Amino acid sequence: MMEENTNWGQSVTGIVIRQGKVLLARHTYGTGKGKLIVPGGYVKVCETPQDALKREFLEETGIVVEPGEIIAIRFNSHDWYIAFRAEYISGEAVSDHDENDEVLWLETEEALLRDDVPDLTKKLIQCALSGSAGLVPLPYQGNPKNGKRYLYGVN
């Protein structure tokens, strides 16, 4: 978990809903220990949030996802956390037996009622279910100096 090339102030998550169920992982450490949360993690140096999301999901859950709209952003003076609506592509839900000890598909209605699902996770699930459009990728011309550029906005 502790890596030198990690941007400790930048993290991502994705809310994947498939057939009425949301993908959650039971966390094994920190304040989320024992809680069912949406998978995600820190962005590495020179990694885009989208690539970090894909990597984190595959590492933690065995699931391949494709990031979609940005549906929420949590930030403070210390760090930021971007939440994407993410599409299930492939894979079987399995625990990494490190950051989580269980990965499961849970009915969204049940997830919103359970005491072992934190408020932030519930709010993110509600954002994903809202039907409201999130921020979408918008093409633009810009300086390619720092690699591929991304702009998200309302369309």
Side-chain angles (χ1 to χ4, degrees), residues 10-70:
Q10 302 175 3
S11 56
V12 295
T13 191
I15 296 73
V16 180
I17 298 175
R18 181 174 175 226
Q19 300 172 342
K21 297 180 180 182
V22 62
L23 184 67
L24 297 175
R26 192 171 304 282
H27 217 52
T28 59
Y29 63 94
T31 58
K33 184 175 182 174
K35 302 286 186 181
L36 286 170
I37 63 173
V38 286
Y42 293 106
V43 178
K44 292 183 178 182
V45 173
C46 296
E47 184 178 46
T48 66
Q50 297 89 333
D51 288 340
L53 182 71
K54 292 176 186 181
R55 176 184 50 76
E56 287 286 346
F57 262 78
L58 189 58
E59 288 174 1
E60 292 180 10
T61 70
I63 299 292
V64 176
V65 300
E66 183 61 36
E69 300 167 315
I70 293 174

Side-chain angles (χ1 to χ4, degrees), residues 74-129:
R74 194 262 322 134
F75 58 89
N76 56 41
S77 62
H78 177 70
D79 61 12
W80 56 255
Y81 178 71
I82 297 175
F84 290 89
R85 186 178 280 135
E87 179 184 354
Y88 168 87
I89 301 297
S90 65
E92 295 295 322
V94 295
S95 171
D96 69 0
H97 300 290
D98 178 25
E99 295 185 38
N100 66 67
D101 57 15
E102 178 182 21
V103 175
L104 58 105
W105 293 97
L106 191 62
E107 295 286 341
T108 55
E109 298 83 15
E110 182 181 348
L112 294 172
L113 295 173
R114 287 178 64 138
D115 290 337
D116 60 347
V117 176
D119 187 52
L120 177 59
T121 295
K122 289 177 182 178
K123 294 284 193 294
L124 295 175
I125 294 168
Q126 290 169 331
C127 287
L129 292 171

